[in-house]
Amino acid sequence: MGCLGFENGLLPFLKEEDIKICEDLMRKTIEYVNKDSLEFNGVIYGGFFKCEEGIKFIEFNARFGDPESLNILNAIETPFKELFENIQNQTLSKDNCKFKKINTFTVYVVTPNYAVSSSKEPIKFTLNKQEIEKQDVKIYFSSTKHIEENKYESVGNSRLFAVVAKGESMEKAKEKVYKALQGNADEVLHYRKDIGSIYAH
């Protein structure tokens, strides 16, 4: 439903040792996949919980549409073409993959019954894309079909589009996203208004 990325690449509650545990698990997983005739060469990221008992693994993903990916994509300084050439040639490193020191904030707008109902019935909605983009944010469409002008239709019961902003502070990035959505997205749509609210910026 949303995600935030701080300029240092960390989250306030994470320590370097927490990151190392996650990195080690991901590295071992890739080594295991590659030990036979298969070879994984691409993008992968892990989902984890930090619990009182330590770091707990949730899932792996290798796709660009998730909120976590959109934060990273908007913080990458290296040209996208170079990034994929280095992935393909297996020459990707910290030296040729650079990130901007910025805060990023993402909110996904979804169908009313997303993650609650299995209904695939499409819904029609209005969205003022031009006005949203004037607010210094980006829109990434997902399960959405453009009909005409500001009219759209959902494709299944899913996430429809994401709104992403960058800012010198997390509060500024967050403010851009919610301000852009206010009055420009159909009221029939749903999105969470509490993403990142537990952090003091």
Side-chain angles (χ1 to χ4, degrees):
M1 296 293 288
C3 189
L4 55 161
F6 286 87
E7 60 181 353
N8 62 358
L10 300 173
L11 290 170
F13 58 86
L14 289 179
K15 299 178 181 178
E16 290 292 342
E17 60 193 61
D18 298 324
I19 300 295
K20 189 177 185 309
I21 290 171
C22 299
E23 287 178 345
D24 286 346
L25 176 58
M26 294 176 69
R27 189 175 293 107
K28 288 176 181 176
T29 300
I30 293 172
E31 288 174 356
Y32 183 83
V33 169
N34 289 350
K35 72 174 185 168
D36 297 319
S37 58
L38 295 174
E39 182 178 61
F40 181 86
N41 182 26
V43 175
I44 187 171
Y45 58 94
F48 301 88
F49 276 128
K50 183 173 182 179
C51 306
E52 290 183 3
E53 304 82 13
I55 300 294
K56 301 294 184 182
F57 169 73
I58 309 172
E59 62 180 0
F60 284 129
N61 281 310
R63 57 194 180 190
F64 288 114
D66 288 334
E68 300 90 338
S69 297
L70 295 177
N71 276 333
I72 297 297
L73 290 173
N74 278 274
I76 288 177
E77 187 173 15
T78 305
F80 217 46
K81 179 176 179 290
E82 291 182 19
L83 196 66
F84 275 91
E85 285 176 347
N86 284 317
I87 289 176
Q88 181 180 1
N89 298 329
Q90 299 186 16
T91 55
L92 188 68
S93 69
K94 291 182 179 179
D95 295 326
N96 57 34
C97 182
K98 301 295 184 181
F99 292 88
K100 301 170 187 174
K101 297 292 184 181
I102 57 171
N103 299 281
T104 55
F105 189 86
T106 300
V107 168
Y108 247 112
V109 179
V110 303
T111 53
N113 294 316
Y114 173 66
V116 176
S117 169
S118 59
S119 172
K120 303 294 183 182
E121 193 69 28
I123 63 164
K124 289 183 171 63
F125 62 92
T126 58
L127 175 69
N128 195 331
K129 179 176 180 286
Q130 291 76 18
E131 192 60 36
I132 287 178
E133 290 177 333
K134 287 181 184 177
Q135 309 293 324
D136 192 28
V137 301
K138 290 185 177 180
I139 299 179
Y140 294 87
F141 286 97
S142 182
S143 301
T144 303
K145 181 167 64 176
H146 184 223
I147 301 173
E148 59 179 5
E149 295 185 354
N150 293 338
K151 304 293 184 183
Y152 297 83
E153 184 176 280
S154 66
V155 179
N157 183 22
S158 187
R159 294 185 289 199
L160 300 175
F161 60 91
V163 179
V164 186
K166 297 180 282 189
E168 295 178 1
S169 69
M170 184 58 69
E171 192 59 41
K172 286 183 179 179
K174 178 180 178 181
E175 183 181 344
K176 284 182 188 179
V177 168
Y178 285 124
K179 184 179 178 182
L181 284 170
Q182 190 172 8
N184 293 314
D186 200 314
E187 291 185 1
V188 72
L189 304 177
H190 286 200
Y191 60 91
R192 286 183 58 166
K193 300 177 178 66
D194 61 346
I195 302 297
S197 61
I198 64 172
Y199 299 113
H201 308 308

